[in-house]
Amino acid sequence: MSGALSDISISCFKAYDVRGRVPDQLNESIAYRIGRAYAQVIQPSTVAVGFDIRLTSEALCDQLSNGLRDEGVDVINIGCCGTEEIYFATAHLKVDGGIVVTASHNPKDYNGMKMVREESKPIHADNGLMDIRRVAESALPTPLQARGILTEQCTRSAYIEHLMSYLAVDQLTPLKLVANPGNGGAGLVLKDLLPLLPFEVTLLQETPDGHFPNGVPNPLLEENREVTRNAVIEQKADFGMAWDGDFDRCFFFDETGRFIEGYYLVGLFSEFFLKRNAGEVVVHDPRLYWNTQCIAEQYGTRALKSKTGHAYMKGIMREHDAVYGGEMSAHHYFRDFSYCDSGMIPWLIVAQMISQTGIPLSQMVDQKMQDFPVSGEINFTLNDADAALDAVEAHFLKDVPLSVDKTDGVSLDFADWRFNLRKSNTEPLVRLNVETRGDQALMEEKRDAILELLAQY
């Protein structure tokens, strides 16, 4: 692409990444503009790029790269990868930034981008993403005559080596596992990783396929869980795991086939790291957190609250040098992974824990599930989301909550129950979460009361 490009309007920029329908909201021309805009705003010398298994991803990545190169930026293409592989490559190669073309769990006609600076520091709406949008929408000047250089480099072996560093391999036992990539990118990594481990693994839907013959990989959807659950039961596996398309989220099934809410894994990993790192802090999102805070208190330390979203979580973690951070949506962040989220590290840690203790996954979480019952995240499409949030807040303020928090949406905490109601950053949805202190009936009562209020909107 050459010559000056005139102003356009681009709608695919969200709070902390780019996501849009292809080709009307995101296409090769827009990808090119984003490449040039990223280069102008971030001013890197070298950027790592990669793309997920979606059918449009490689072509979008090519034009993104052309945009970067037309601004004189050198590009290292690591090929088809997961989001976390770009995070790893950016830090490992010591380049000035990284961009992965991915739309994670969005419908198959969508695509997008996640962007980082040097050391895989996140770029979001508050620190540069909207500047990139502004430049991408403006008239772009004629490209520089001295184009950046494009090279290809595979970083997967170094990434696999890093994953193995979380394990005491000599302490692993021959567990039986079920792994379901959902035809997403996780299968590419498992092919190289599993031969290094002493596990017997039943693979489901392991072939990457951007047509998504078994549906878009999103294990948060109840209908996507049955195949993994059934396989765990049939194989008498120690646990099962499933991933979303770009495998930055890992979801767990215990040995009974029960799906484990991500919230309880946040507590489990918090305990794992706090046991080994006395006095460190962990970070959680504002939706559900009593369990995580309780665990931090048991270890004499703090659990810090962050706004929902990977960019915000990473910012708080870096600010406080937190050893671990977790969101109930199954994003897990690790200080030793450049404070970034990984969908591979979590299942390795669970396998390590079971191997070392002999305690099944169900027993690791059963008591916490009884102590802090949750509603599970309930999603709505509302005609007037802002009015709905205001109405629910006003209704329950009459009960005089112990705290009101606006970190993300609205959270009201009472002595024995709490809720968070927020608008999604990535989809046109409102999301509700309710938890109580050991009272399942109260959780259901309050959940239903909020649902009744929301039904009016």
Side-chain angles (χ1 to χ4, degrees), residues 146-159:
R147 294 193 83 207
I149 299 169
L150 173 65
T151 57
E152 296 181 357
Q153 183 169 347
C154 181
T155 55
R156 181 158 293 150
S157 61
Y159 162 71

Side-chain angles (χ1 to χ4, degrees), residues 209-243:
D209 187 344
H211 292 286
F212 298 130
N214 295 288
V216 177
N218 181 8
L220 278 180
L221 300 177
E222 178 67 33
E223 60 267 26
N224 288 355
R225 299 175 187 170
E226 185 175 2
V227 63
T228 311
R229 176 189 299 116
N230 291 344
V232 169
I233 296 169
E234 290 167 6
Q235 298 297 324
K236 296 182 171 57
D238 292 287
F239 68 91
M241 59 271 193
W243 293 268

Side-chain angles (χ1 to χ4, degrees), residues 67-331:
L68 290 163
R69 296 175 64 202
D70 277 353
E71 293 289 335
V73 176
D74 292 338
V75 174
I76 300 175
N77 189 326
I78 71 167
C80 188
C81 64
T83 292
E84 68 193 68
E85 291 186 86
I86 276 292
Y87 298 154
F88 173 80
T90 301
H92 176 71
L93 298 173
K94 296 181 171 58
V95 295
D96 307 305
I99 307 173
V100 59
V101 176
T102 179
S104 185
H105 61 282
N106 285 87
K108 68 179 181 180
D109 58 339
Y110 275 64
N111 219 318
M113 300 178 193
K114 293 180 180 178
M115 308 177 190
V116 292
R117 300 172 184 264
E118 76 284 354
E119 301 175 357
S120 291
K121 295 176 182 176
I123 297 172
H124 53 83
D126 298 333
N127 76 350
L129 191 60
M130 292 303 107
D131 294 325
I132 294 172
R133 175 180 181 172
R134 175 181 52 77
V135 174
E137 289 181 331
S138 66
L140 296 173
T142 300
L144 298 178
Q145 289 187 339
R147 294 193 83 207
I149 299 169
L150 173 65
T151 57
E152 296 181 357
Q153 183 169 347
C154 181
T155 55
R156 181 158 293 150
S157 61
Y159 162 71
I160 295 288
E161 184 179 347
H162 180 84
L163 294 180
M164 293 295 292
S165 72
Y166 291 84
L167 296 170
V169 178
D170 59 337
Q171 297 178 21
L172 297 177
T173 56
L175 302 175
K176 291 187 67 174
L177 308 177
V178 168
N180 184 359
N183 301 116
L188 297 171
V189 171
L190 293 176
K191 179 173 64 71
D192 293 336
L193 180 60
L194 292 180
L196 305 176
L197 301 169
F199 305 138
E200 179 185 335
V201 182
T202 298
L203 288 167
L204 309 172
Q205 302 171 10
E206 72 269 29
T207 304
D209 187 344
H211 292 286
F212 298 130
N214 295 288
V216 177
N218 181 8
L220 278 180
L221 300 177
E222 178 67 33
E223 60 267 26
N224 288 355
R225 299 175 187 170
E226 185 175 2
V227 63
T228 311
R229 176 189 299 116
N230 291 344
V232 169
I233 296 169
E234 290 167 6
Q235 298 297 324
K236 296 182 171 57
D238 292 287
F239 68 91
M241 59 271 193
W243 293 268
D244 61 355
D246 63 337
F247 65 90
D248 59 354
R249 292 184 300 158
C250 182
F251 302 83
F252 289 85
F253 300 77
D254 69 16
E255 75 280 3
T256 72
R258 178 180 60 176
F259 179 81
I260 307 299
E261 291 285 347
Y263 175 40
Y264 302 110
L265 273 303
V266 174
L268 192 66
F269 295 137
S270 294
E271 186 166 17
F272 176 84
F273 284 102
L274 292 177
K275 273 184 179 179
R276 291 155 178 77
N277 300 270
E280 300 275 15
V281 297
V282 295
V283 177
H284 59 78
D285 69 274
R287 290 172 284 187
L288 298 169
Y289 53 72
W290 273 350
N291 178 42
T292 310
Q293 290 184 341
C294 178
I295 289 167
E297 289 169 4
Q298 290 172 4
Y299 287 90
T301 187
R302 297 174 298 155
L304 305 174
K305 189 184 303 179
S306 166
K307 187 175 181 179
T308 304
H310 76 98
Y312 305 113
M313 292 286 295
K314 294 167 187 173
I316 295 293
M317 287 185 68
R318 284 180 178 274
E319 180 183 347
H320 296 276
D321 196 28
V323 65
Y324 164 76
E327 295 182 272
M328 57 151 289
S329 55
H331 283 285

Side-chain angles (χ1 to χ4, degrees), residues 12 95 112 366 370:
C12 56
V95 295
D366 273 347
Q370 293 175 31

Side-chain angles (χ1 to χ4, degrees), residues 369-427:
M369 294 175 73
Q370 293 175 31
D371 291 345
F372 301 98
V374 300
S375 61
E377 189 156 80
I378 306 170
N379 298 307
F380 311 86
T381 301
L382 302 178
N383 294 321
D384 192 340
D386 291 326
L389 264 67
D390 290 343
V392 171
E393 179 183 359
H395 178 87
F396 287 102
L397 281 175
K398 293 181 292 186
D399 296 336
V400 192
L402 298 177
S403 69
V404 179
D405 184 84
K406 299 291 185 72
T407 299
D408 198 354
V410 57
S411 294
L412 270 62
D413 285 27
F414 301 87
D416 49 4
W417 78 284
R418 62 173 299 276
F419 75 89
N420 172 263
L421 186 64
R422 59 181 287 273
K423 292 190 292 184
S424 169
N425 287 315
T426 58
E427 300 173 88

